[in-house]
Every structure is written in structure tokens, then in C-alpha cells.
Amino acid sequence: MEHVPSPAEELALLDRELARLDARRSQLLVRRTWLLSVLTPPAARPAAPTAPPFAAPFGPPAAPVGPRGAQNVLLTLGGLLLTIAAIAFTLVSWGHMGIGGRSAVLGVVTVAALSAPAVLLRRGLPATAESLAALASVLMVLDAFALHRVAVPEADGRGFAAVVAAVLAVLWGAYGLLLDRLRLPLPLAVVSAQPPLLLWAWAAGAGATVFGWALLVTAALDCAIAVWGRGVAVRVTACVCCWATGLLGLLVALAQSVSADAASAALAPGVLLLVGALIAVSGAWRAPAGLAVAGGVVAGLCGVAAMGGVLRAGVAWGWSVPVYLLCGVVLLVAVRAPLPRPVGQGLVWASSTVTVGAVLAAAPPVGLSLMGAVSQLARVWSGTPDGGVRGALGVEGPAWSQMAAAPVVLLVVAGLLAAVYRSWARLVRVAGPVLSPGAAWRGAAGAGAVALGWAGLTALPAVLGMSYAAAVSVQLALVAGVFGVAVRGLRRRMDGVGLTALVCGLAGAVSAGMLSLATEAATYAVFAVLLVVFGGAAVVLGGAAVPAARTLPPLPSVQAARSVRALQIVQAVPACAAVVCGMVLARAVGASLGLAAHQAAPVMLVVPAVTVLLGARLRGLPPALPVELTGAVAGVVAVGTAVTDRPFLALVLALCGVLAAGTAVRAERRPAAGYLAMTLFILAAWLRLSASGVSAPEAYTLPVTVPALAVGVLRRRRDPQASSWTAYGAGLAATLVPSLFTAWADPHWVRPLLLGAAALVITLSGARLRLQALLLLGGAVLALDALHELAPYVVQVVGALPRWLPPALAGVLLLVVGATYEQRLRDARRLKEALGRMR
């Protein structure tokens, strides 16, 4: 059937009707808002204040202070003043009274201060009771000081202080339990219980082990109070004291365990560390999650330090690291123990901490193996170094003997991480009660296995003291193997394992390349192998990227598109590395032929020539542009080496122009490569003329300029929209620029005059014909030519002027420009628009 009206007409009618409804609804809403404003009565304004405006303080009125707040302030100040008075009485006025009077005063005041809080609490004055309790605590300390000075002045101060601290802890604890509404006595009792054992050990002249035991026993007491104490303040105070005393005791035990030279000497600190681990676990059992994890970490580290200290006693420190690493790995067995989940997590973190510490301890030989090869840059092709690879790295033998265990540590950790990566599902099931790791942790384990395995094998030749040839061979084989792992991993999926292997392979290739610079044969062999490895990796990755890109659906998912794009970008890394290896080989060929630096520059241009061909072959693929840019770097290096000789520099620039012109054949590279080729050809011609001693370059440039301008005229007739730069830019620059350089060095006036006249004609023609290239090129050459002619007179005038006048004129100019800035800005915009309208 047919629609009457048609669907298009009906849709237009519906749209118009909906628009009318929306407009009507807006009108009704506006009317409703106005009606509400009319019907709502205005709010009553507050009465004007009777007081003068300046009588009230600025800002919002402050809330009145309640009687309880004022009372607390007064009581706090009163207790503080009484405490200061008591201290002043004890320290200053002590000598003005007899022994009986002084003791009686302090005793009476102390008893009164201790008794008053009970009465005040019954009468509902807790703040007053707290103030007097604080005063009583200070008076009790002063009583102890007075007792020592009067009753037992001959007693040892450290032992007496220990007894006083213990007695005060008991008294304050009993007092706080008796008057449980007071908040200060119990935390004071906890703080006072910290120094007795330490002071007793100090007074007895005990050794470090006794001090460690004193600290750990105190920490155990604090841990018990933190778990079973009454009140939040008591528990928090006990927890802080437990961490402080416990960590100090464990540090004492750790220092003794590390410095022990026999297993028997490491037993006592080992037992002390195990007791500390037991205290940490018992405290973490009932602690909140964060503190429980920290307790598990401390317990695990104490267990590793205790067992490792006994096992490593008498062994050189370098080989002690594997022992501690083994103990840290064994610690993971405790994950299956019936422990709370946070404690188990703390043990896992402790094992991880030990592993990371062992890896960091084994890192120096890896750094020396990688960075030591840099020293070969100062002695290229100086011959096989004495002392094998260690001589090439510049590190003596005794230093390597102290790092002999480093490769073992790195390879063991790499093997463990590889096992985790391979058996991930099983490990997740085993660690389920403690940890729930995500898939990202598996990738991190695989990446760590690759990195640490490569690091251990990198340091192995130097640690074993291999010969130079053997070490270079091992490094090359390692680079090839790592790149094999990278290619295999990246072909499957873009993850951390493949990327890590790629980075390690590049680092190893740089190290092996610098190490090979010692001899000529090693340089050719190493960089040839690296060229093959990098090229093969790029080809294989490209073979994986192209099918992956072709198999994408018409509307691929974001993840799939990103994966293919990342694989294509990664392919450019080994491709560019292969180009760099080609650059080194080209430079080596020039050196082997006995060519000077500028004479070897054309040999270097073989590399950009190959990259131009590769760019044409890889057209449309992401690696094409990086490869071509890397080849362009080789061209820049060739130009830099030929700077010292102008004929060779002209030759190199001309060859670079040929390569740029060959690149410009492709449509996607034509704009940039075409202008570059033109610039290079012109520079080569100028340099060739300059090197030949030509004093009249116009004889060579005008025969080029005239046909070029004729071709430009024909181009403009066929295509009036063509740019004047395309039609006339190259032809004009071919003559104007060399003539300008020659005119600046010409002491006579004929050439500058003729050049200025020609530039003036070109500038006026550009303005008349509205051609941008003629106007700008002619104007620039005319201005520079005039500046050259007027420069001597300007120098004379400036020399005759007072020193203050140029800065003053510059300041006036800036003021004028600043005052008329908007007008100047509009003028600049108009000039830009006028130039933009030109062709």
C-alpha cells in the first residue's frame, strides 16, 4: 500500500509538531515561574541592630562558651601552674627547709593530690580530677628524686631509676584501675614500664645480648597490654611502645647475628630473633588487618635472619646472600600454616622482601658488565685486552671474586619466577587462603624471570673470568636467545614477557657491540650477527603483524586493534636497530680501507640507500617511517663527517639529494622529500662552486634559473591555482641565494647594486602580480643586501652616539609599540591575511 502522505512528508510534519510543542512548553514554564514569584510572599527582613555598626566584631558571631569548656580551660591552666610551682619548689627552694619539713611538704601535697580525684569523681567533676591526677603523677616523680637525694644518696643512679620506674608503673597502674574513670594514669603506667629492664641491664654492665633480651621482654609485656589492656588509650600507647622497643631489640639481635663468625656465636642472637618473631605473630593474631600484615612481615624477616645467621656463620658475605635467599624461599611454606589471612600475607611480603634484597645485592656485577664496556669507546681497535673480559671491562680480579655468588642468586630467583609463571593456576589454588593474585601478577613474574635470567647470564662471563673471545661469544648467543624469547612471546600476545625480553635484548646488544670495539674482527663479527638477529626479528614480527591486521573484522574491538597496532610499532624497534648496526658496519668498512673521515662519508650513504628501498617495500606499514628516519640519521652522520672537506661535502649532499628524490617518487613522501631533495641539490651546487673558487656564481645559476622560471610560467598557465613557491621558488632561490652570499663577501659595490636592483624588480613584480614567493624572496634578499651596504655607516653612527642613547631609543620604541599594541596586532593580522591570499 502507499502512504498518504509519504513517509518523508509525515516525518517532516511530526518534527514541526514536536517543535511547536517544545516552544509552547517553554512558554508555559516561564509563565509558571513568574506566577510563583508573584504568589510567594517576600521574606521578612531582620530588624536593624540597635548597637552601632562598629561595636560588633568582624566575622560571624562566635558561639558562647559553655560552662564546661571554660571549666576545663581553667582547670588545665591551674594544674599546669601547680606543676610548675612544685618543680620550682623541689629544685630551687629545697635548701631553705630542713629534711623533715621538705619531706613533710612533698608527702602531704602528694597524698592530697592522690586523694582528691576520688572525691571529685563522686561529685561529678572529672576534669578537676584529671588535673589533680596529672599533678599527683608529677609529684610522685619529684618524691622519688627527693628520696634519692635524702635517703639513699650513695645508691647508683641507674639502678635507683630502674626501681623507681618499676614502682611508679605499679602504683600508677593500681591507681588507674582503682579510679577507672581517670584516663591518664594507665597510659603513664605503660610508659613508665619501658625503662626498668634497660636500666637494670645498664647498671649491671651487661652485654648486647642482655640488652636485646631486656628490650624484647619489655616488648612482650607491651604486646600483652596492647591485646588485653583496658581502654583505647592504653592499647594505643602499649602498641607504640611495643613497636619501638621490639624493633630496637631486633636490630641489636640482627647486628650480632650478621657479625657472628661461627654457628655457635649466631645461636644466641638467633634465639632472640625467633622470640621476636613469636612476639610479632602473637600480637598480630588479634591485631587489625594493617598491623597484622606488618606483624607478619616482622615475624618472617626475624625467622629468615635467625636461620640464615646460623647457616651462613663463617662464610664470606658474598655467599651469605644465597643462604638468606634460601631461607626466604623456605618461609613460603608457612603460608599453608593455620594462620590468619593478614599474618600469612605478611609472611609472603617478608619472603618477597628478602628476595628483592638478594636481587639488589647481586645487581652490581650486572651493572659493571653492562657499563664497563663503555670504556672501549676510548680505545677502539686497540687489540685484545689483557686479562680477558675483566680487562676489557676495566675491573680487577679481586673485586669479581667478592661478587661470585651474584649470578647464582639471579639465576635462582629467575628459576623460581619461571616456575611461578608456568604453574600459575596451581599456585593460585595453593595460596588461596592467603592471597588472591590477579593475572597481572603472572605477567610480572614472567617478565621478572626473563630479566633476572638475562642479568645472571650477562654477569656470568666476567665472574668466571672468561677470555675475551669467549665472553663476546656468550654475549652474542645471549642476545640471540633473548630476542628469540621476545619474538615468540610477542607473536602470541603483547604482554610483559615479550616486551621485557625485547628491552633486555637491546641492552645486551649495546653492551656486546661496545665490547666488540676492542678488535677489528670482533667488530665485524658482532655487528654482522646483530644485524642478522635484528633483521630476522623484524621480519618475523612483521610476518605476524600483517596477518593479524588482515584478519581483523570490519569493526574490530578496541583491544584487538590496539594489540595489532602495538605489534606493528614493536616491529620497528628491531628494524631500526638493524639500521644502526648497518651504520656501524659502514663506518668500520671505511676505517678498514684506510679512508679519512670525509672520504668514508659516501660509504655511509649505503645505509640510507638501503632504507629508501626498504621504505618502498614496507609502504603503508608502521615500521616504514621509523626505518627511513633512522636511515636519514645515517645521512646526517655522513654529512657531518664530510664537513671538513667542501668537495666531498658537495658530493655527499648531491648523493643525499638523489636519495631524497628517489623517496619523493612515492606519493606519501613527496611533499617533504621533494623539498628536501631540492634543498640538497642547491646546497651541493653552491658548495661545489665555492670549492672550485668561482667568484661569479651567476654564470652557473642563471642558466638554471631562466629555464626553471619558464617552466614555472607554463605550470601557472596550465594550473592557475598552483602555488608561486612551486612554480618560481626553486628557480629564484638558485640564483638569489648564491649571489647574496657572494655579495656579502664582495668588497666592491657593483654586485650588491645589481643584486639589489634585481631583488627590487622581483619584489615589485610579486606585489603587482600578488605572488607570494616573488614578494618574500625578493624582499628578504633586498633587505639583507641593503643591510650589508649600510652596515659600515650604521657602525660609524652607533660609535659616534652616546652610550645611553641606543638603550633609550629601544625603550621609547618599546613604549610606542606597547601603547599601540592592539593596532600593531591588527596590522600584523592584515599583513598575514594579505600574504595568505597570494598564490
Side-chain angles (χ1 to χ4, degrees), residues 131-205:
S131 299
L132 289 179
L135 175 62
S137 63
V138 176
L139 291 175
M140 292 174 72
V141 177
L142 295 177
D143 286 336
F145 172 73
L147 182 62
H148 179 263
R149 294 291 299 271
V150 175
V152 284
E154 70 282 355
D156 181 45
R158 293 167 293 184
F160 184 81
V163 175
V164 168
V167 172
L168 287 178
V170 173
L171 292 178
W172 281 335
Y175 188 69
L177 294 175
L178 182 62
L179 301 177
D180 54 356
R181 294 177 60 187
L182 295 176
R183 293 174 292 179
L184 184 62
L186 288 179
L188 281 178
V190 174
V191 174
S192 181
Q194 305 307 308
L197 293 178
L198 280 177
L199 292 174
W200 277 330
W202 188 17

Side-chain angles (χ1 to χ4, degrees), residues 108-339:
V108 170
V109 174
T110 304
V111 171
L114 288 173
S115 303
V119 179
L120 294 172
L121 287 174
R122 285 198 297 270
R123 296 200 175 191
L125 299 173
T128 309
E130 289 286 353
S131 299
L132 289 179
L135 175 62
S137 63
V138 176
L139 291 175
M140 292 174 72
V141 177
L142 295 177
D143 286 336
F145 172 73
L147 182 62
H148 179 263
R149 294 291 299 271
V150 175
V152 284
E154 70 282 355
D156 181 45
R158 293 167 293 184
F160 184 81
V163 175
V164 168
V167 172
L168 287 178
V170 173
L171 292 178
W172 281 335
Y175 188 69
L177 294 175
L178 182 62
L179 301 177
D180 54 356
R181 294 177 60 187
L182 295 176
R183 293 174 292 179
L184 184 62
L186 288 179
L188 281 178
V190 174
V191 174
S192 181
Q194 305 307 308
L197 293 178
L198 280 177
L199 292 174
W200 277 330
W202 188 17
T209 304
V210 178
F211 272 96
W213 278 110
L215 288 167
L216 284 185
V217 171
T218 305
L221 176 62
D222 294 332
C223 182
I225 297 173
V227 173
W228 291 291
R230 297 174 56 182
V232 177
V234 176
R235 291 188 177 186
V236 171
T237 305
C239 183
V240 173
C241 295
C242 176
W243 279 100
T245 55
L247 290 178
L248 286 176
L250 293 176
L251 287 176
V252 172
L254 180 62
Q256 286 188 297
S257 176
V258 171
S259 60
D261 55 356
S264 57
L267 284 176
V271 173
L272 195 59
L273 289 168
L274 290 178
V275 171
L278 181 61
I279 294 172
V281 170
S282 60
W285 204 282
R286 297 184 57 183
L291 290 176
V293 173
V297 172
V298 173
L301 293 178
C302 289
V304 171
M307 300 303 297
V310 175
L311 295 176
R312 62 144 298 271
V315 180
W317 176 251
W319 287 101
S320 301
V321 178
V323 176
Y324 285 109
L325 176 62
L326 179 61
C327 295
V329 174
V330 174
L331 179 64
L332 292 176
V333 179
V335 172
R336 300 296 295 174
L339 296 172

